[in-house]
Amino acid sequence: MQKQSEHFLFGNETEIEDLGGGLKRQMLGYNHELMAVKVWFDKGAQGYTHSHRHSQVTYVEQGEFHFSIGGETKILKAGDSCLIPPHVEHGAICPTGGILIDTFSPAREDFIKES
């Protein structure tokens, strides 16, 4: 994994990766301990149920999300957030279209492109 992102990243210059299925992702900054990512969901897009070793905090910037964490589902709207502990299954459906800010500790190595 690359050691860290640049100190300054500009939204209009930082790559937005199309993940398919109505999802796009943009790196906001990272080092080996921490990562922040912006994720766009098209209307009806789904973040599949999965788990990982990382602690995650997600902030809803825009839209409405039906979030499931450890088998419990809640509706989160702009200004809401959630904590996802390591190894807990989670996923989200976005009926409205929206934007999430995801933070991970440690960084998600699988999100980093080798250069």
Side-chain angles (χ1 to χ4, degrees), residues 31-102:
N31 64 17
H32 68 284
E33 297 173 335
L34 179 66
M35 173 180 279
V37 179
K38 186 173 190 174
V39 185
W40 287 265
F41 282 67
D42 289 345
K43 183 177 181 176
Q46 181 173 355
Y48 67 93
T49 301
H50 65 288
S51 65
H52 45 72
R53 68 181 185 90
H54 313 81
S55 293
Q56 178 177 341
V57 172
T58 295
Y59 173 78
V60 180
E61 182 178 307
Q62 181 181 313
E64 178 181 296
F65 291 82
H66 297 202
F67 248 99
S68 293
I69 302 171
E72 181 179 10
T73 301
K74 298 280 185 185
I75 296 174
L76 300 179
K77 297 181 179 181
D80 297 338
S81 58
C82 60
L83 168 69
I84 303 162
H87 308 290
V88 173
E89 288 210 342
H90 59 283
I93 298 172
C94 185
T96 62
I99 300 171
L100 298 177
I101 304 297
D102 287 334

